[in-house]
Amino acid sequence: MSDANLQHGRVTFLDGRGDLSALEITTPWSRAEIFPHGATVTQFQKTGEPPVLFLSQCSRYTNDAPIRGGIPIAFPWFGKPEGKTMQHGFARVKDWELKEVASPPDGSVTVRMRLPNYADATAWPGCNVEYVVTVGEALGVELIVTNKSASEAAYEDCLHTYFTVGDISQVAVIGLKGVEYLDALDGRKRKTETAESIRFTAELDRVYLNTAHVVEIHDAALRRVIRVAKEGSRSTVVWNPWIAKAKAMADYGDEEYKQMVCVESGNVAENQVKLRAGESHRTVVRISTTKI
Ligand code: BG6
């Protein structure tokens, strides 16, 4: 274990959990944890507040499985499209290279990682993929994909964020009224959101399309609003597995659906990103909290 003292924050290299190593970042406002495995940010917590990200007590920490919680990165596809064997792509189970740790003058700490080259060219054309995590008063994550090949590249991405909530029955997700979505629980039928605030009384699994809106998670039990703002993301996925699916997932506690909601930002289905040779795309998410 070794540490790096920066101008403002501090980065500690931890032994991690199971087979996986981790980095702990502390700043004047907050603490975060990142696993190079999947470049998964597993925690962000402001001083004196409950954790912002949810991490399952039953998560595996092995090389061949994604971490259950935090922000796994679904890339270069979302779900399991025809012909793919791996759900949500391969990025969340690869060990990303640590490229740089820096402390900008505003007191935050940034960590830059890079997805190692993926050997199977039929599964994925040559792109350079980097991920920058900024820990400060807010949490920023940015996935930057540059097409290094000579032909067009198309991909889906989704920063699959698990948020901690006090009690799912007292949660409202706001900001998607009027937006069209694919209902994964109804054959991906296209529907329009009519609710001012989405509430949870059963399993919910939806891909909201063509929306760059800010989404807020109003959590009455923790008396907190989590604000999810984004750039370069046209899809928002909202998911809670509820009772039966929670029980069916081996790496997730039976009761944990009560303490989390996923609000995921990316570019999914018809919102997939298409890059001409040499082009780049950035999917940026900024997560902040306020007390209510
Ligand atoms: C969500 C999907 O993004 O991820 C759900 O919309 C899926 O359908 C969930 O169940 C979890 O996926 P996984 O592969 O991590 O179990």
Side-chain angles (χ1 to χ4, degrees):
M1 190 164 90
S2 59
D3 299 349
N5 274 313
L6 302 162
Q7 200 184 339
H8 307 283
R10 181 183 170 88
V11 176
T12 307
F13 295 86
L14 306 174
D15 289 338
R17 270 167 258 178
D19 300 341
L20 310 176
S21 60
L23 272 77
E24 181 189 51
I25 290 137
T26 45
T27 75
W29 310 274
S30 58
R31 178 189 169 274
E33 208 171 81
I34 306 173
F35 281 71
H37 182 67
T40 315
V41 180
T42 50
Q43 200 43 270
F44 173 68
Q45 184 166 15
K46 282 164 68 178
T47 312
E49 290 188 24
V52 174
L53 301 179
F54 165 86
L55 179 61
S56 173
Q57 297 293 320
C58 304
S59 178
R60 298 185 189 120
Y61 296 93
T62 56
N63 284 309
D64 55 353
I67 294 172
R68 176 69 71 193
I71 318 182
I73 301 172
F75 175 88
W77 58 83
F78 179 83
K80 208 189 277 178
E82 232 184 285
K84 307 287 187 200
T85 48
M86 227 180 208
Q87 161 108 332
H88 290 336
F90 51 80
R92 64 181 184 160
V93 293
K94 295 278 172 214
D95 289 338
W96 292 52
E97 295 159 5
L98 185 60
K99 296 280 288 179
E100 188 187 35
V101 174
S103 65
D106 66 1
S108 63
V109 173
T110 62
V111 177
R112 180 180 287 268
M113 285 165 285
R114 181 177 175 276
L115 181 64
N117 285 336
Y118 188 57
D120 185 354
T122 56
W124 173 239
C127 282
N128 185 55
V129 185
E130 295 200 340
Y131 192 54
V132 181
V133 179
T134 303
V135 183
E137 197 172 1
L139 173 70
V141 286
E142 181 172 348
L143 184 73
I144 309 146
V145 181
T146 306
N147 182 3
K148 296 280 190 191
S149 78
S151 46
E152 187 179 271
Y155 67 87
E156 294 173 292
D157 64 358
C158 196
L159 304 175
H160 191 309
T161 314
Y162 291 77
F163 290 102
T164 297
V165 295
D167 173 4
I168 191 70
S169 68
Q170 296 182 53
V171 165
V173 171
I174 297 175
L176 294 164
K177 189 179 180 192
V179 177
E180 290 196 334
Y181 65 91
L182 304 177
D183 188 347
L185 303 178
D186 190 10
R188 284 173 78 87
K189 242 187 230 160
R190 205 176 176 98
K191 301 179 181 177
T192 302
E193 184 58 69
T194 53
E196 196 68 58
S197 55
I198 300 165
R199 294 194 168 267
F200 299 84
T201 54
E203 185 182 356
L204 191 136
D205 191 351
R206 300 173 181 173
V207 176
Y208 289 86
L209 296 164
N210 305 314
T211 175
H213 292 178
V214 167
V215 172
E216 287 184 350
I217 302 165
H218 287 239
D219 182 343
L222 290 183
R223 300 176 146 271
R224 159 167 97 176
V225 175
I226 300 174
R227 185 172 193 270
V228 183
K230 55 190 197 154
E231 253 177 71
S233 156
R234 302 189 64 221
S235 315
T236 296
V237 178
V238 181
W239 178 60
N240 182 291
W242 215 250
I243 301 166
K245 189 149 190 193
K247 286 194 172 142
M249 289 193 287
D251 59 349
Y252 187 89
D254 290 0
E255 302 288 322
E256 287 185 327
Y257 73 94
K258 295 176 183 166
Q259 258 74 60
M260 73 120 226
V261 65
C262 283
V263 173
E264 313 164 26
S265 304
N267 298 282
V268 171
E270 68 198 52
N271 293 150
Q272 69 170 305
V273 178
K274 288 186 183 151
L275 293 178
R276 286 195 294 261
E279 273 183 348
S280 287
H281 179 83
R282 292 161 67 240
T283 299
V284 185
V285 182
R286 186 176 187 277
I287 296 162
S288 56
T289 63
T290 47
K291 291 184 180 155
I292 46 175

